[in-house]
Amino acid sequence: QVKLVESGGGSVQPGGSLRLSCAASGFTSDDYVIGWIRQAPGKGLEGVSCISTRDGSTYYADSVKGRFTISRAVAGNTVLLQMDSLKVEETAVYYCAVTEGDYDPSVVCNHLDTWGQGTLVTVSS
């Protein structure tokens, strides 16, 4: 059974940075797409960024390109999301999520099927 545990959320001022971490375990395959989905207050779900473990290909939502960086530490199956130049409107609960299999991250990032418990990111002055 896949298990995802997020950490690294918190409060930051606009323009600041945070790094989210997701510790993943329980996979039955070496190939999966893992990433981050967020939900802002009163808004819908948005796939922020995803990465494929097979070839390292990535997906970023247009709203975060150039500011967020997703990476994967092979040891321990940890996925990181470095978030720079954060904006007030990016206040949200950020969920780590995954789908097992060999998929294009740009296709599945908004449709991942196993989620962590979420971590709150608050951007406020």
Side-chain angles (χ1 to χ4, degrees):
Q1 183 175 354
V2 174
K3 182 179 180 181
L4 305 170
V5 180
E6 302 102 329
S7 60
S11 296
V12 64
Q13 292 186 340
S17 297
L18 280 175
R19 188 176 74 170
L20 304 182
S21 178
C22 174
S25 61
F27 296 106
T28 59
S29 169
D30 290 335
D31 295 336
Y32 51 91
V33 174
I34 188 167
W36 299 88
I37 297 174
R38 67 186 177 188
Q39 187 167 31
K43 300 288 185 63
L45 296 168
E46 178 187 23
V48 176
S49 181
C50 287
I51 187 168
S52 164
T53 60
R54 184 182 68 81
D55 61 5
S57 56
T58 58
Y59 162 82
Y60 294 95
D62 288 343
S63 58
V64 307
K65 285 179 181 176
R67 298 185 298 115
F68 289 15
T69 303
I70 192 168
S71 61
R72 181 174 167 258
V74 176
N77 285 333
T78 299
V79 176
L80 305 174
L81 184 68
Q82 177 67 38
M83 306 186 294
D84 297 321
S85 303
L86 281 161
K87 303 175 182 180
V88 171
E89 57 266 34
E90 293 180 309
T91 293
V93 178
Y94 285 70
Y95 299 91
C96 181
V98 66
T99 289
E100 291 193 80
D102 179 15
Y103 298 106
D104 182 339
S106 66
V107 174
V108 303
C109 198
N110 282 287
H111 309 288
L112 303 176
D113 55 25
T114 301
W115 294 42
Q117 81 283 357
T119 186
L120 178 63
V121 172
T122 302
V123 186
S124 174
S125 55

